[in-house]
Amino acid sequence: MMQFSETPLLPLHHEISSYSNNVTMNKNPFHRTRPLTGFPTQKAIGGFGDANCMEQLLVHCANAIESNDATLAQQILWVLNNIATPDGDSNQRLTCGFLRALIARAAKIGTCKMLTAMAQSNTNLTLHTHKFSVVELASFVDLTPWHRFGFTAANAVISEAIEGFSVVHIVDLSSTHCMQFPTLIDLIANRPEGPPFIKLTVAGATADVPPVLDLSYEELGSKLMKFARSRNVGLEFRVIPSSWSDGYASLIDQLVSGDRKLGVGEGEALIINCHMMLHSIPEETFRTLFLKAIRGLEPTIVVLVDEDADFTSNNLVCRLRSAFNYLWIPYDTVDTFFQRGSKQRQWYEADICWKIENVIANEGLQRVERLEPKSKWVQRMRNAEFRAVPFSEEAVSEVKSMLDDYAAGWGLKKEEDDLVLSWKGHNVVFATAWLPA
């Protein structure tokens, strides 16, 4: 089990001074860089394999890049390049992702010309995210409970909330392209009083944020409606072009409009389903306005599922530390179900690398990964005049049963009214449900 401590940042010379300076340069992206006196031999490089040491090297490198110390940055990157192999253990692969992200940041800043040239000349730094078919994506999200936990918890509370309604309007803000809903359709298809008619309104996801689909949302909607018909469930599917960058303002406008096609109809159950997308809203003002607008719609229930971490700091080093001490989890879990070198593992880790690069290399609206801890969202929902709804024993039982399909390291925590997915005791994803207060 990997453990990460809040180790104080040591001076760089303290970490490397005990190593020999007799270095044989290999052919690598940093072959032009001559290591400073005191940098390790190839044999001694193995001593840097500890996760805490790798984290400190990354922090030193980030500080060097931010202070435009190109010489120091290049020397640290040389060490990192030799210890952080893309096909090594989970620590090494995690660090390789951050190495790639730091070089991308240096290239974007443009102040370290040598690093910029390295980034442009090294094809190994290019991210290749896979475009999934619907079948591939469905299998992909089933690999771990990372998404299935939220799907299962949300579907359980939604199915309970819509009892007695003949029409259900679901507004979906999800990063997984409606992969949640086949299971929900199956869940309600055999309702004793007959299944409700479902109006599904989807905010179109950003095209370049993984996972990426290889078909349009219109094609996706057609497939989903066909599936619903096979279960004797009526389904309307709508996509509203809307952006997280303005807090989904156009989506809200159309929901509150008098347009009977898009607006919320009288007597309908209104479900707001937020699965790992609200954190992309870039400003606190927009987040507050979005929740207040949703509150004004008097929804039947709001489900909020997201990753339990904090990527919001404006300080690069703080952000790097937080991301490093959270994103070791998917690298650690992937070894439980993928063999080294498999195509599926490459797809999985490319998506994690995209997230790392977005957190580290980008600022402003380009940085969409702005995760916040559960406590922050709980307070924000309360401020917007929502009250938490506890998950029923049946819902908890369903989540526990789902986790039985996965490795023993996955666990479930109950924190007040909320559910939290954990890996080896570390919080991963939280699920919360809310009613208008």
Side-chain angles (χ1 to χ4, degrees), residues 16 109 124 131 411:
I16 62 176
I109 294 173
N124 289 331
K131 284 192 173 184

Side-chain angles (χ1 to χ4, degrees), residues 8-226:
L9 184 62
L10 300 175
L12 186 58
H13 65 79
H14 181 89
E15 297 175 30
I16 62 176
S17 60
S18 62
Y19 295 97
S20 166
N21 64 352
N22 181 22
V23 178
T24 302
M25 297 298 292
N26 295 322
K27 289 183 178 180
N28 60 64
F30 311 104
H31 67 275
R32 302 177 198 169
T33 305
R34 181 179 178 80
L36 292 173
T37 301
F39 269 69
T41 63
Q42 195 71 22
K43 181 179 179 181
I45 278 173
F48 282 119
D50 173 73
N52 287 322
C53 187
M54 288 182 173
E55 180 186 2
Q56 291 203 25
L57 284 171
L58 289 167
V59 167
H60 281 302
C61 187
N63 279 324
I65 290 172
E66 293 301 279
S67 61
N68 195 25
D69 189 340
T71 301
L72 178 59
Q74 287 165 212
Q75 300 302 327
I76 303 171
L77 287 168
W78 181 86
V79 175
L80 286 168
N81 186 65
N82 279 276
I83 63 174
T85 57
D87 58 351
D89 63 26
S90 57
N91 276 343
Q92 292 170 320
R93 302 197 310 276
L94 170 69
T95 304
C96 181
F98 279 87
L99 166 66
R100 182 198 314 267
L102 285 171
I103 295 175
R105 183 178 181 89
K108 288 182 180 182
I109 294 173
T111 51
C112 300
K113 293 182 179 178
M114 180 66 78
L115 297 180
T116 303
M118 289 176 183
Q120 292 172 345
S121 64
N122 186 8
T123 56
N124 289 331
L125 295 175
T126 304
L127 281 176
H128 299 286
T129 53
H130 181 68
K131 284 192 173 184
F132 292 92
S133 69
V134 170
V135 173
E136 285 176 338
L137 184 57
S139 299
F140 186 74
V141 298
D142 280 348
L143 289 171
T144 75
W146 205 284
H147 290 291
R148 274 195 73 194
F149 161 77
F151 293 172
T152 305
N155 285 345
V157 77
I158 289 170
S159 64
E160 293 168 2
I162 64 176
E163 287 183 6
F165 286 91
S166 59
V167 180
V168 177
H169 189 157
I170 302 174
V171 177
D172 184 50
L173 302 172
S174 170
S175 61
T176 53
H177 311 291
C178 302
M179 291 296 107
Q180 173 181 341
F181 296 113
T183 305
L184 179 62
I185 291 168
D186 271 336
L187 196 61
I188 65 175
N190 297 317
R191 201 169 69 166
E193 67 271 32
F197 183 82
I198 298 176
K199 294 166 59 176
L200 180 57
T201 298
V202 177
T206 306
D208 57 351
V209 175
V212 179
L213 268 183
D214 69 351
L215 74 168
S216 69
Y217 262 76
E218 287 72 20
E219 293 170 308
L220 175 65
S222 296
K223 290 180 179 293
L224 198 56
M225 287 189 289
K226 182 178 180 180

